[in-house]
């Protein structure tokens, strides 16, 4: 299943489904992906599920969490929503390799909350995912709270981008509203909810570390930023008192599976924290170790 060159079968907690069929339904952002994000231009044509699995195998990645992303309000010309059904179909085809995450759009209100519940109860999704900046609504805004309550009720984690946002579309610039400190109020109000701040929190990584240190229910996802350039404080946190709090992700194709894996191997983490980062923590937080 995985490459023998890696001793730990990793689990990638943040992966974008990338089939040609779904890419055709999205706004064209080739300049963003192949420019500042430096994504391989060949990938921009899309990947079948089997192609993605081959790339995962080459990187020693056993499972991936596929996002049914809701990128901005549905009616906006710069937005797109990945149908929950498309991710459910991928999971059904490869249940030992893929799990589904339900994207959230706060403008949908209770209709979106009901869709989230259906995704978990009927499609078997294991968590929720959202981008605060695409809606310019900070994580502690009231419009997110019904979704937090439903996730807590369903006992599924929610992951959300913290840190700065990029300029995906020059004609639709978005404010960076995802300061990690915003998770403080959410964690206080929903102590039963598992909250994962993804994208490392850059440039406020130490603020994200502080939130994960304060709250038992707050965790950090490592995706979207090259491990080679992670802040020194973050690497030390993973290898010491934060070893139970951080989980591996790529935000593929933003980070290539193998590049991310090889750069983590080069960090020189101790064996225990490295296993927890690559596998153990995500299994525990998402309840997949039961």
């Amino acid at each position: 299943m995985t490459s023998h060159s890696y001793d730990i079968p990793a689990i990638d907690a943040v992966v974008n489904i990338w089939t040609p069929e779904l890419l055709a339904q999205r706004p064209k952002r080739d300049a963003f992906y192949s420019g500042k994000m430096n994504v391989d231009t060949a990938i921009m044509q899309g990947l079948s599920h089997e192609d993605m699995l081959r790339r995962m195998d080459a990187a020693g990645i056993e499972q991936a969490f596929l996002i049914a992303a809701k990128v901005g309000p549905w009616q906006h010309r710069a937005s797109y929503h990945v149908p929950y059904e498309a991710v459910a179909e991928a999971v059904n085809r490869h249940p030992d390799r893929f799990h589904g995450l339900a994207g959230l759009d706060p403008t949908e209100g209770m209709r979106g909350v009901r869709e989230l519940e259906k995704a978990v109860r009927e499609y078997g999704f294991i968590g929720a995912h959202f981008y605060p900046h695409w809606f310019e609504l900070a994580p502690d805004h009231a419009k997110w709270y019904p979704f937090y309550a439903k996730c807590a009720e369903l006992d599924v984690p929610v992951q959300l981008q913290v840190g700065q946002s990029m300029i995906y579309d020059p004609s639709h610039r978005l404010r960076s509203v995802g300061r990690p400190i915003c998770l403080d109020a959410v964690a206080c109000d929903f102590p039963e909810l598992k909250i994962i701040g993804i994208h490392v929190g850059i440039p406020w990584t130490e603020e994200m570390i502080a939130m994960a240190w304060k709250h038992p229910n707050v965790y950090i996802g490592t995706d979207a930023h090259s491990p080679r350039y992670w802040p020194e404080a973050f690497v030390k946190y993973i290898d010491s008192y934060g070893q139970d709090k951080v989980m591996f992700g790529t935000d593929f194709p933003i980070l290539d599976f193998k590049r991310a894996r090889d750069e983590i191997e080069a960090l020189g983490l101790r064996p225990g924290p490295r296993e927890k980062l690559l596998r153990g923590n995500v299994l525990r937080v998402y309840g997949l170790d039961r």
Side-chain angles (χ1 to χ4, degrees), residues 12-257:
D12 190 333
V14 191
V15 175
N16 292 285
I17 191 167
W18 209 249
T19 62
E21 296 80 9
L22 287 173
L23 287 181
Q25 301 173 28
R26 296 170 49 164
K28 293 287 283 185
R29 294 208 175 96
D30 290 5
F32 165 74
Y33 285 107
S34 60
K36 189 172 286 190
M37 294 298 101
N38 200 30
V39 173
D40 184 347
T41 53
I43 294 177
M44 293 310 301
Q45 307 308 309
L47 295 172
S48 69
H49 300 321
E50 290 69 27
D51 288 337
M52 180 177 282
L53 289 170
R54 280 190 284 271
R55 285 176 171 270
M56 289 167 54
D57 288 342
I61 295 175
E62 181 183 75
Q63 298 176 45
F65 295 0
L66 299 180
I67 306 160
K70 292 189 175 183
V71 179
W74 175 241
Q75 296 86 354
H76 197 284
R77 62 172 180 77
S79 301
Y80 66 89
H81 287 189
V82 174
Y84 288 178
E85 292 79 6
V87 168
E89 185 268 340
V91 173
N92 288 337
R93 280 173 57 182
H94 301 282
D96 59 330
R97 306 301 302 275
F98 293 145
H99 295 282
L101 299 178
L104 305 181
D105 174 351
T107 70
E108 294 178 334
M110 288 307 298
R111 177 171 63 86
V113 173
R114 288 188 286 270
E115 286 187 4
L116 166 63
E117 181 164 22
K118 179 178 180 180
V120 173
R121 295 195 186 279
E122 296 186 23
Y123 298 155
F125 283 19
I126 62 170
H129 170 282
F130 71 89
Y131 303 102
H133 57 269
W134 270 103
F135 306 93
E136 293 191 326
L137 293 174
D140 56 359
H141 192 282
K143 286 190 175 182
W144 296 113
Y145 270 49
F147 295 91
Y148 293 144
K150 181 55 67 173
C151 286
E153 179 187 324
L154 295 170
D155 192 26
V156 296
V158 59
Q159 56 175 240
L160 62 146
Q161 178 175 346
V162 290
Q164 72 175 43
S165 63
M166 302 301 288
I167 297 176
Y168 311 93
D169 179 342
S171 67
H172 184 50
R173 296 168 187 259
L174 299 163
R175 295 164 178 80
S176 297
V177 298
R179 284 288 297 262
I181 196 67
C182 295
L183 300 183
D184 195 38
V186 181
C188 286
D189 291 339
F190 296 94
E192 299 173 31
L193 173 65
K194 301 181 189 77
I195 304 163
I196 304 155
I198 61 173
H199 288 37
V200 186
I202 290 172
W204 303 290
T205 304
E206 293 198 21
E207 191 172 286
M208 186 64 238
I209 290 171
M211 290 297 93
W213 179 78
K214 175 179 178 179
H215 295 288
N217 57 323
V218 174
Y219 304 86
I220 309 175
T222 69
D223 61 297
H225 290 277
S226 170
R228 180 184 299 171
Y229 302 111
W230 286 348
E232 182 180 358
F234 186 54
V235 177
K236 289 182 176 179
Y237 179 71
I238 293 170
D239 205 33
S240 59
Y241 71 104
Q243 62 184 278
D244 296 317
K245 286 292 205 155
V246 186
M247 57 194 72
F248 169 67
T250 59
D251 199 22
F252 180 87
I254 298 299
L255 286 185
D256 177 72
F257 293 125

